[in-house]
Amino acid sequence: MKHLFAALAVCLSLGTPAHAAEPVKTLRYAFRVAETGFDPPRISDIYSRTVTAHIFETLYAFDPLARPTRLLPLLADGEPVVSADFKTFTLKVHPGIYFADDPAFKGRKREVTAADFVYSIKRFADPANNAQGWVNYEDQAIVGLTELREQLLKSKKPFPYDSEIEGVKALDRYTLQIKTHGPRPRLIEAIFAGNDIYGVVAREVVEFYGDHIMEHPVGTGPFLLKAWRRSSQIVLERNPSYRERHYEAQPAADDREAQAIYAKFKGRRLPMIDRVVVDIIEADQPRWLAFLNGEHDFIERVPEAFITQAAPGGKLAPGLAKRGMHAIFTLAPDMSLVSFNLEDPVVGGLTPDKVALRRALSLAYDMDKEIRLARRGQGVPAQAPIVPNTSGYDPAFKSEMSDYDPARARALLDMYGYVDKDGDGWRDLPDGSPFVLTRNTQSDSLSRSLDELWDKALRAIGIRMQTKVQQWPENLKAAQAGNYQMWPVNSSAASSDGQEALQRLYGPASGTQNLPRFKDARFDALYDRMQAMPDGPERDALFKEAKRIAVAYLPWKVGVHRIVTDIEQPAMTGYYRPLFWQDFWQFVDIEPGRQPVH
């Protein structure tokens, strides 16, 4: 196995929360983008997943402080048993773990069993759920699962949840077995590490709430959803029946910050806080001011417009340091992207003229200028769709992706007939019809800054651009439906395997992770080969070939890997930015006496 599992699992004996008489510890902060809902198969955005990551749990979790990362049992009873050919996986569910109390259980305590994991996996395969994360399961080639899904897509019949699937079985009450068609060396991390998407659900809850399941998440995690005003505020409270669990980690010996956190919290019962209030504040200035004024205990990703005020030169501003604040700086395992709809008649297609157009758009844009002006230095140019801290990422890899060469852009456009045919000063399409690009976007200040930079860059080569401003969830729906031309997004890694990012170009993932709907048989064959390979030089060579294909066809314009600055108020301690996972609330503490009164 790629990861070393913890020698000691997190304590899983049952218990009730302590310190009930102490002041309520409330973590207050803001999302910069609205959530979409809280049913794991039906979500993909990072903000909804941040909430679900604290409500649901799966078999394994990432050590909160270990870098490089490692996995440790969460709902699992020990390490998985994996066959020598990486095709059979046997996992034990720890007995005595219960779902949070809910009316769906009709007053009974509901224990988690292996059958619940079988059901949860089947929900991703059910076409009726349009599961955004289905491709992750499809990639694992689980025996019988994809075959059943394909039959149902053709027949339109309902999913037979009670039928047995050879590759997903509960051998007994607590034993889960997964079988795959081919070797899958990274299967455990791929589909059993990540509470946000892969957390276990109970069938009774799904059937009880039906079409309203997005509003009623019920899991085994440390928090419960208590109140939700869509696109406005999300309130969660400690799960009163959460089992006894203690802070355990193995930070690197030379990681002073992680070592200090562990020294303070080792053995503490989790979660350490009682309540979380998340406000949705899309505008950067109000979100920044809410933090400065003490209304929020934490600001995740200081807005680029305020980074020179918050952390000039990569250090916390002296004024904020004097107030007792603490900053965390991270080169994030993420990337900014511009998706081009390859089914669009203008920017889409894989013929030489269409590829040349996308290359010209890329060459016309000055990424260094974006980093300097819009991002205030908070990023490094990306060369391919693989992110830092994942396999396949090579800081020495250089491509045309970050080149700025408007002269070459003009030459490509001229060569393929994108010229001014009517003398109005703007380029037309080769057939003489007007050439206007539409960029879907949001209303926040960073989006506006990026829109202005793109508009100026395209004007400089004679192309008109208009923007279509919508909320992020609406833009996501449009992209998934293929109703757009170009849309800027960000992508964050959910595991240490770089192949996860390549899903964004994998043909079978079209309309979900693969928003451009890029389809290339050579790329898909590379992707399939990589799934079965162990990590090593041969797989690294395929990563390089896949990156070259991505750069050549340019379904995505990859922009920057972001440098993220997070800041805690004095009342909050323990934050250490997660790399591939979304849950951290249970690992931080709040001192109510140090929070300003509002």
Side-chain angles (χ1 to χ4, degrees):
M1 295 297 293
K2 177 180 172 183
H3 286 277
L4 291 176
F5 286 80
L8 292 175
V10 176
C11 179
L12 292 169
S13 61
L14 296 180
T16 55
H19 62 269
E22 296 180 6
V24 173
K25 296 182 176 183
T26 302
L27 168 63
R28 309 160 303 173
Y29 77 115
F31 286 169
R32 62 196 303 168
V33 173
E35 75 298 332
T36 57
F38 308 119
D39 184 27
R42 303 187 187 206
I43 60 175
S44 62
D45 64 284
I46 203 77
Y47 304 97
S48 299
R49 286 166 51 198
T50 298
V51 176
T52 57
H54 296 90
I55 295 173
F56 298 97
E57 293 176 317
T58 187
L59 289 169
Y60 295 92
F62 289 98
D63 183 314
L65 300 178
R67 308 290 187 273
T69 58
R70 68 177 189 129
L71 294 178
L72 51 82
L74 185 58
L75 298 187
D77 189 2
E79 301 178 15
V81 176
V82 182
S83 63
D85 61 2
F86 293 107
K87 293 169 65 175
T88 302
F89 303 79
T90 305
L91 309 100
K92 291 283 189 178
V93 178
H94 200 291
I97 298 174
Y98 295 85
F99 287 99
D101 296 336
D102 190 84
F105 301 130
K106 299 178 170 44
R108 295 180 292 107
K109 297 291 291 182
R110 175 60 160 80
E111 188 181 26
V112 179
T113 68
D116 293 315
F117 282 94
V118 173
Y119 174 74
S120 298
I121 292 171
K122 287 179 176 179
R123 289 195 71 218
F124 277 85
D126 186 347
N129 289 329
N130 189 29
Q132 299 304 298
W134 159 246
V135 68
N136 298 329
Y137 287 97
E138 186 176 37
D139 280 350
Q140 302 312 310
I142 296 172
V143 175
L145 193 63
T146 299
E147 296 89 334
L148 176 59
R149 177 182 167 86
E150 289 176 350
Q151 292 173 13
L152 297 175
L153 285 169
K154 293 176 183 177
S155 69
K156 308 299 181 183
K157 292 181 180 179
F159 196 95
Y161 280 98
D162 293 319
S163 65
E164 186 175 272
I165 297 174
E166 176 63 23
V168 189
K169 288 182 178 178
L171 301 183
D172 58 39
R173 185 171 179 83
Y174 302 113
T175 306
L176 174 68
Q177 183 186 76
I178 304 294
K179 290 185 177 180
T180 61
H181 286 294
R184 287 298 183 269
R186 291 159 294 275
L187 180 141
I188 299 300
E189 183 177 346
I191 61 173
F192 290 112
N195 298 329
D196 52 344
I197 297 295
Y198 308 115
V200 66
V201 300
R203 183 171 182 172
E204 302 97 305
V205 173
V206 176
E207 294 178 350
F208 185 80
Y209 290 109
D211 292 341
H212 300 286
I213 188 62
M214 286 279 268
E215 306 161 23
H216 296 280
V218 179
T220 64
F223 294 94
L224 309 173
L225 180 66
K226 298 301 292 186
W228 178 28
R229 298 201 307 271
R230 289 179 182 269
S231 303
S232 178
Q233 190 179 76
I234 308 163
V235 179
L236 298 98
E237 292 183 359
R238 170 199 293 268
N239 176 358
S241 60
Y242 193 59
R243 64 192 180 277
E244 187 171 328
R245 179 183 170 201
H246 298 106
Y247 199 128
E248 293 295 336
Q250 287 185 9
D254 60 352
D255 189 336
R256 294 176 60 187
E257 186 163 4
Q259 285 285 351
I261 292 172
Y262 190 50
K264 182 173 184 178
F265 295 127
K266 179 181 179 180
R268 287 276 296 273
R269 189 164 181 176
L270 303 177
M272 294 182 278
I273 59 174
D274 305 298
R275 194 165 178 263
V276 180
V277 178
V278 180
D279 296 317
I280 314 303
I281 307 179
E282 296 185 348
D284 289 341
Q285 186 177 42
R287 190 169 65 256
W288 173 241
L289 291 177
F291 173 73
L292 283 185
N293 294 337
E295 297 169 31
H296 292 155
D297 304 295
F298 169 65
I299 185 162
E300 189 176 32
R301 296 186 185 273
V302 172
E304 288 81 359
F306 300 99
I307 197 66
T308 53
Q309 180 180 341
K315 294 183 179 180
L316 185 63
L320 301 183
K322 287 180 181 178
R323 292 171 59 179
M325 297 183 186
H326 174 65
I328 303 95
F329 303 95
T330 310
L331 176 60
D334 71 8
M335 55 189 166
S336 67
L337 301 155
V338 175
S339 173
F340 295 106
N341 181 3
L342 295 200
E343 295 181 353
D344 180 79
V346 176
V347 298
L350 298 178
T351 54
D353 57 322
K354 299 298 188 179
V355 173
L357 171 59
R358 293 194 296 276
R359 284 185 62 205
L361 297 177
S362 177
L363 289 165
Y365 189 73
D366 188 344
M367 192 56 64
D368 287 333
K369 188 175 183 180
E370 173 183 314
I371 292 172
R372 187 175 68 255
L373 297 182
R375 298 187 182 276
R376 307 299 199 274
Q378 297 292 286
V380 298
Q383 306 297 328
I386 302 288
V387 302
N389 295 302
T390 66
S391 56
Y393 177 75
D394 179 3
F397 181 82
K398 179 68 177 71
S399 75
E400 185 184 87
M401 191 68 74
S402 64
D403 287 358
Y404 171 56
D405 195 337
R408 282 171 62 201
R410 294 186 189 99
L412 280 169
L413 293 169
D414 292 344
M415 182 184 301
Y416 285 95
Y418 294 93
V419 297
D420 180 7
K421 297 179 183 293
D422 56 12
D424 66 352
W426 298 101
R427 293 181 185 270
D428 298 298
L429 296 175
D431 64 3
S433 56
F435 183 10
V436 181
L437 286 176
T438 300
R439 174 180 165 98
N440 285 22
T441 187
Q442 291 80 237
S443 61
D444 61 278
S445 60
L446 177 60
S447 294
R448 291 197 302 271
S449 296
L450 298 179
D451 295 340
E452 290 173 6
L453 289 173
W454 270 94
D455 183 57
K456 290 177 181 178
L458 297 186
R459 282 175 177 271
I461 60 169
I463 294 177
R464 282 177 288 193
M465 187 191 86
Q466 62 186 12
T467 57
K468 183 177 181 180
V469 180
Q470 301 181 114
Q471 284 197 329
W472 194 92
E474 296 305 312
N475 280 326
L476 176 63
K477 290 178 184 177
Q480 290 170 340
N483 298 324
Y484 76 108
Q485 278 191 325
M486 55 189 295
W487 181 42
V489 296
N490 296 303
S491 173
S492 298
S495 78
S496 63
D497 183 16
Q499 184 166 356
E500 175 197 80
L502 296 181
Q503 285 180 0
R504 297 193 175 280
L505 298 102
Y506 185 50
S510 294
T512 53
Q513 298 299 313
N514 182 357
L515 292 178
R517 291 170 163 74
F518 177 68
K519 296 172 184 175
D520 179 75
R522 183 161 57 112
F523 183 92
D524 290 349
L526 280 174
Y527 186 96
D528 291 336
R529 285 176 61 196
M530 291 171 67
Q531 282 287 5
M533 284 184 179
D535 293 318
E538 187 179 358
R539 193 166 187 255
D540 289 342
L542 295 188
F543 266 118
K544 186 173 291 187
E545 190 174 348
K547 289 188 283 189
R548 287 172 176 155
I549 293 173
V551 172
Y553 285 105
L554 225 137
W556 297 95
K557 163 70 172 176
V558 188
V560 305
H561 304 304
R562 294 178 293 180
I563 297 171
V564 177
T565 302
D566 307 305
I567 306 179
E568 296 173 313
Q569 294 276 12
M572 177 175 165
T573 53
Y575 179 76
Y576 196 68
R577 171 166 279 277
L579 289 179
F580 313 124
W581 55 99
Q582 311 309 321
D583 52 309
F584 68 88
W585 301 343
Q586 66 269 41
F587 301 117
V588 301
D589 198 10
I590 292 290
E591 298 180 49
R594 303 188 71 181
Q595 290 175 310
V597 178
H598 291 279

